[in-house]
Amino acid sequence: MGSADGARDDVTVLGIAGDWTVETVVAVLPTVAEKVTPGKHLVFDGSELGRLDTAGAWALVGLMRHQEEAGGSTELKDFPKSAAGLIAEIEPLGREPLPEPKRPNPITWTLEEVGRGAAGLVDDGYLVLAMLGEAVVAFVDVLLLRRRMRWAAFFNHISRASIQAVPIIALMSFLVGMIIAQQGSFYLSSYGANFLVVDLVGVLTCRELGVLLTAIMIAGRSGAAYTAELGSMKMREEVDALKVLGLSPVEVLVLPRLMALIIALPILTLVSDLAALAGAWVVGLYYIGIPTDVFLNRLKAALTITYVLIGLAKAPFMAAIIGLIAGIEGMKVKGSAESLGEHTTVAVVKAIFMVVVTDGVFAMIFATIGI
């Protein structure tokens, strides 16, 4: 409140003195608001006004609107030019309600979403090829001793991606093997062919399910971890620091993780195959009644080394896909935790989808060449 306060007939003069900023407006606004006389012409005298920021301007605009809604009128007098300009900029805001958003045409919306999806696929394909090319060049330079491999990081990621994942992969595969054997025996018993469950579990797990389930688990475990790690480094500007130092983020951060996954996934696939067969053996022995020697003889007759190699051959490709997608999504993270969570989720979904697609492509290729 200022010294210019006063009332004359139907005109009230209200002095606005001192600083009206975000720090002070909460304290001074109630005192000034008490002086507002509804229904009269209210003159705000700004001759003694100090600093005015957006919060103070909003408070003054609120008083003016309150006076106008009560049937009175307002006027600004002797305000500094900058303060009057700020109030003039703010005063029209919020007077008119925001327009209702137009309801999109379903056909147009569908076409736009399809277009965005197609453009996103093209962009992702370009990023995958760019990162793959950079990783291959870095790997060749490491082989030619022109660049140094980060061996400590490499072995650390090998341990995290393979050794530490063995318990969960083995347990999951053991249970899946038990389920396939139990369900298979349930249906095969109708034909008196319970013993064929060994053939079913052996071929199905070693050729398809072992590598597929392992890749899905690794996409959710290691792929998500890689995206979160790279995204956190991006948020803390560590990736930008590497570029300033003349180092390639793909060579330093992505290549060790990618190589670790390519080595770890075939090993974990073999663990998964053995665990699934062990689960089937337990069900065969104690639930179906297949003796161990019969189980092993059926397994030897049905499961050839070709089926095992087919499963193992897919693993490096699926590992490369998981590693590249995790690296790309990690590099896309912006400076917020929301962005980090969003890209981590996207990385897992994309990796699992592409793993399934890759398995389908391999199935068609092997069917074409007759194996």
Side-chain angles (χ1 to χ4, degrees):
M1 186 69 63
S3 59
D5 290 352
R8 178 172 54 82
D9 298 331
D10 58 345
V11 177
T12 299
V13 179
L14 191 60
I16 305 299
D19 295 338
W20 280 57
T21 62
V22 67
E23 293 88 3
T24 62
V25 70
V26 175
V28 301
L29 184 59
T31 305
V32 177
E34 292 176 356
K35 304 295 182 183
V36 174
T37 306
K40 292 188 176 182
H41 183 68
L42 184 62
V43 178
F44 292 98
D45 187 344
S47 57
E48 298 180 9
L49 177 66
R51 292 186 298 128
L52 179 74
D53 66 4
T54 306
W58 266 114
L60 278 175
V61 169
L63 292 175
M64 294 165 65
R65 291 181 182 177
H66 176 69
Q67 178 71 2
E68 293 170 2
E69 290 171 358
S73 57
T74 59
E75 176 186 347
L76 297 180
K77 178 185 175 185
D78 295 336
F79 271 72
K81 188 176 180 180
S82 59
L86 179 58
I87 295 172
E89 289 291 331
I90 289 177
E91 198 277 335
L93 301 178
R95 284 193 176 276
E96 298 295 334
L98 294 176
E100 290 289 332
K102 292 183 179 179
R103 183 169 295 178
N105 184 301
I107 298 176
T108 306
W109 180 84
T110 303
L111 292 176
E112 287 179 354
E113 290 300 312
V114 171
R116 288 195 188 96
L121 285 177
V122 173
D123 289 343
D124 285 345
Y126 171 78
L127 292 174
V128 167
L129 290 176
M131 183 169 285
L132 177 62
E134 193 171 349
V136 169
V137 170
F139 180 67
V140 171
D141 285 346
V142 169
L143 292 180
L144 298 177
L145 302 180
R146 291 189 298 208
R147 296 190 189 184
R148 183 174 62 86
M149 182 70 178
R150 273 68 183 176
W151 293 110
F154 171 71
F155 286 113
N156 178 48
H157 292 305
I158 281 279
S159 172
R160 292 172 54 198
S162 60
I163 297 175
Q164 296 180 18
V166 165
I168 185 62
I169 296 292
L171 178 60
M172 179 198 67
S173 301
F174 183 82
L175 296 175
V176 169
M178 293 180 70
I179 293 170
I180 295 175
Q182 192 273 335
Q183 290 293 305
S185 70
F186 179 76
Y187 289 102
L188 290 173
S189 62
S190 304
Y191 306 97
N194 275 352
F195 61 93
L196 289 180
V197 76
V198 181
D199 304 47
L200 175 66
V201 176
V203 175
L204 188 60
T205 56
C206 292
R207 178 167 179 147
E208 296 293 340
L209 285 185
V211 64
L212 188 59
L213 293 177
T214 303
I216 290 174
M217 287 291 292
I218 290 301
R221 184 181 181 276
S222 301
Y226 289 173
T227 302
E229 291 168 2
L230 295 174
S232 299
M233 293 178 189
K234 188 80 182 299
M235 291 170 60
R236 294 194 298 265
E237 300 181 351
E238 294 176 26
V239 175
D240 295 331
L242 287 174
K243 294 178 182 177
V244 171
L245 293 173
L247 299 173
S248 166
V250 174
E251 175 193 345
V252 177
L253 302 176
V254 178
L255 184 61
R257 290 172 169 82
L258 190 60
M259 295 301 300
L261 275 186
I262 291 175
I263 293 175
L265 198 52
I267 298 172
L268 292 174
T269 298
L270 196 57
V271 171
S272 174
D273 293 345
L274 294 174
L277 293 176
W281 169 74
V282 170
V283 171
L285 183 62
Y286 297 104
Y287 180 78
I288 306 174
I290 301 176
T292 301
D293 56 339
V294 175
F295 182 92
L296 293 176
N297 287 334
R298 287 300 314 169
L299 190 63
K300 183 178 178 182
L303 185 61
T304 65
I305 190 66
T306 302
Y307 292 144
V308 179
L309 293 178
I310 285 174
L312 294 178
K314 302 174 190 176
F317 295 93
M318 293 180 178
I321 289 170
I322 295 169
L324 289 173
I325 291 176
I328 289 170
E329 293 300 325
M331 294 298 177
K332 285 183 181 177
V333 171
K334 306 296 181 183
S336 69
E338 182 181 0
S339 175
L340 178 62
E342 177 185 346
H343 284 286
T344 302
T345 304
V346 170
V348 174
V349 173
K350 283 184 178 178
I352 292 175
F353 176 76
M354 289 308 301
V355 161
V356 175
V357 170
T358 303
D359 190 68
V361 171
F362 270 102
M364 289 188 288
I365 293 174
F366 291 138
T368 303
I369 61 179
I371 59 176

